[in-house]
Amino acid sequence: MKPALAALLLLLAAELSGASAQPNGLPPGKKLRMAYATGPLLKFQIWRVFEEYMRVISQRYPDIRIEGENYLPQPIYRHIASFLSVFKLVLIGFIIVGKDPFAFFGMQAPSIWQWGQENKVYACMMVFFLSNMTENMCMSTGAFEITLNDVPVWSKLQSGHLPSMQQLVQILDNEMKLNVHMEQIPHHRS
């Protein structure tokens, strides 16, 4: 039982250090950014397909600076995830110490709490993994948002799907042609 408790303590230490705050290891609220070139800024707000799209676009448009960042969920979901993260640690602490929080409220401990006291390692692991699953559901947005110089050019939240590579290249071709055309128009002062 001691090796299992040591593994649990390692999981708790990783959680306390913020290692699971976001999939990229950054604390909540921090954005992950990567810049690859200079010129117009094309911003992706999803990470999984970012590298594939980045490779194709940087070959076709070497002057475009490409950044990727996480698309943050609504504040209420971020707050729920933060609360669950703290609540999880407090609950695991109560399980390990053996303190009955229900007695503080003058309530009888439910049978699941008694089971948790008899099976501390399993109970702690169950709380840890179920809480992490719920936190991840709160932080997941399903977004794939692309902007060119802070002008939206694609939104999965609005369209409901990812653009194909051909669609994205066509959109960028049109935007780049429009930008070149707008720069060539003389500006008259009245």
Side-chain angles (χ1 to χ4, degrees), residues 129-167:
F129 289 116
L130 289 177
S131 176
N132 277 353
M133 180 183 66
T134 308
E135 289 172 48
N136 285 335
M137 286 180 4
C138 287
M139 294 301 290
S140 177
T141 61
F144 185 80
E145 311 300 296
I146 303 173
T147 60
L148 181 62
N149 292 331
D150 293 327
V151 176
V153 295
W154 187 269
S155 172
K156 181 185 172 203
L157 296 176
Q158 291 178 353
S159 68
H161 66 282
L162 293 173
S164 68
M165 191 60 73
Q166 293 83 7
Q167 282 178 313

Side-chain angles (χ1 to χ4, degrees), residues 168-180:
L168 185 57
V169 168
Q170 182 65 39
I171 290 169
L172 291 176
D173 280 341
N174 292 339
E175 290 291 326
M176 297 301 278
K177 287 176 187 173
L178 180 63
N179 285 343
V180 168

Side-chain angles (χ1 to χ4, degrees), residues 18-141:
S20 66
Q22 287 188 21
N24 56 25
L26 292 175
K30 296 290 183 181
K31 293 183 178 179
L32 181 63
R33 292 180 174 253
M34 293 184 75
Y36 287 94
T38 59
L41 173 62
L42 181 66
K43 188 183 296 184
F44 288 84
Q45 290 184 318
I46 189 172
W47 197 253
R48 287 183 289 168
V49 292
F50 166 69
E51 290 178 347
E52 178 185 337
Y53 281 70
M54 181 197 70
R55 181 180 44 80
V56 171
I57 291 169
S58 62
Q59 288 174 356
R60 187 169 178 110
Y61 304 103
D63 292 336
I64 289 184
R65 185 173 43 131
I66 301 173
E67 291 182 355
E69 65 184 30
N70 289 328
Y71 189 86
L72 295 176
Q74 295 177 2
I76 185 71
Y77 293 117
R78 291 195 313 257
H79 294 306
I80 290 170
S82 294
F83 170 77
L84 284 174
S85 181
V86 171
F87 181 74
K88 161 184 60 184
L89 297 176
V90 169
L91 186 57
I92 289 173
F94 277 129
I95 292 171
I96 291 172
V97 171
K99 185 78 173 164
D100 183 5
F102 298 97
F104 178 74
F105 296 108
M107 299 170 53
Q108 182 180 356
S111 60
I112 187 116
W113 182 261
Q114 294 167 352
W115 175 87
Q117 290 304 298
E118 295 167 4
N119 303 289
K120 290 185 180 199
V121 173
Y122 295 121
C124 289
M125 289 175 57
M126 184 176 70
V127 167
F128 183 82
F129 289 116
L130 289 177
S131 176
N132 277 353
M133 180 183 66
T134 308
E135 289 172 48
N136 285 335
M137 286 180 4
C138 287
M139 294 301 290
S140 177
T141 61

